[in-house]
Amino acid sequence: MTTQIVIITGAFFGMLSVIFGAFGAHALKKILTKEQLHSFEVGVKYQMYHAIVLLVLGFNSNSVNSSIYWCFALGQIVKKKIK
């Protein structure tokens, strides 16, 4: 697994978390209940945490174990499908 792919994926997940966070703060605030909005915010935070971990792995490692990358990347996609 090349570190470039890990860094690009981490940056993409980070971008999505910022977009989702802004969408939740502005558009969903009037639609969702406080409990639903809190749940959405927690999901956005977890998205950002995963992005940060991928970026740290990508920048601090010469070779990232592909199983670590796939667990983080697929975990984000599958998590969203389950909920």
Side-chain angles (χ1 to χ4, degrees):
M1 179 65 47
T2 66
T3 56
Q4 255 185 338
I5 293 172
V6 176
I7 292 169
I8 290 169
T9 306
F12 179 71
F13 284 160
M15 178 191 71
L16 285 179
S17 67
V18 170
I19 291 170
F20 291 151
F23 179 71
H26 298 288
L28 296 180
K29 197 171 195 174
K30 298 173 185 173
I31 299 170
L32 299 179
T33 66
K34 283 190 174 190
E35 185 177 297
Q36 290 172 325
L37 190 59
H38 181 267
S39 178
F40 185 82
E41 289 172 354
V42 169
V44 170
K45 285 180 188 176
Y46 288 163
Q47 174 83 18
M48 181 59 80
Y49 298 153
H50 278 80
I52 291 169
V53 169
L54 284 173
L55 288 171
V56 168
L57 283 173
F59 283 118
N60 290 328
S61 175
N62 291 336
S63 174
V64 176
N65 187 338
S66 64
S67 61
I68 294 172
Y69 168 78
W70 286 112
C71 284
F72 271 96
L74 293 176
Q76 283 297 304
I77 296 167
V78 172
K79 176 190 74 160
K80 301 229 182 304
K81 298 265 183 194
I82 292 173
K83 290 187 177 189

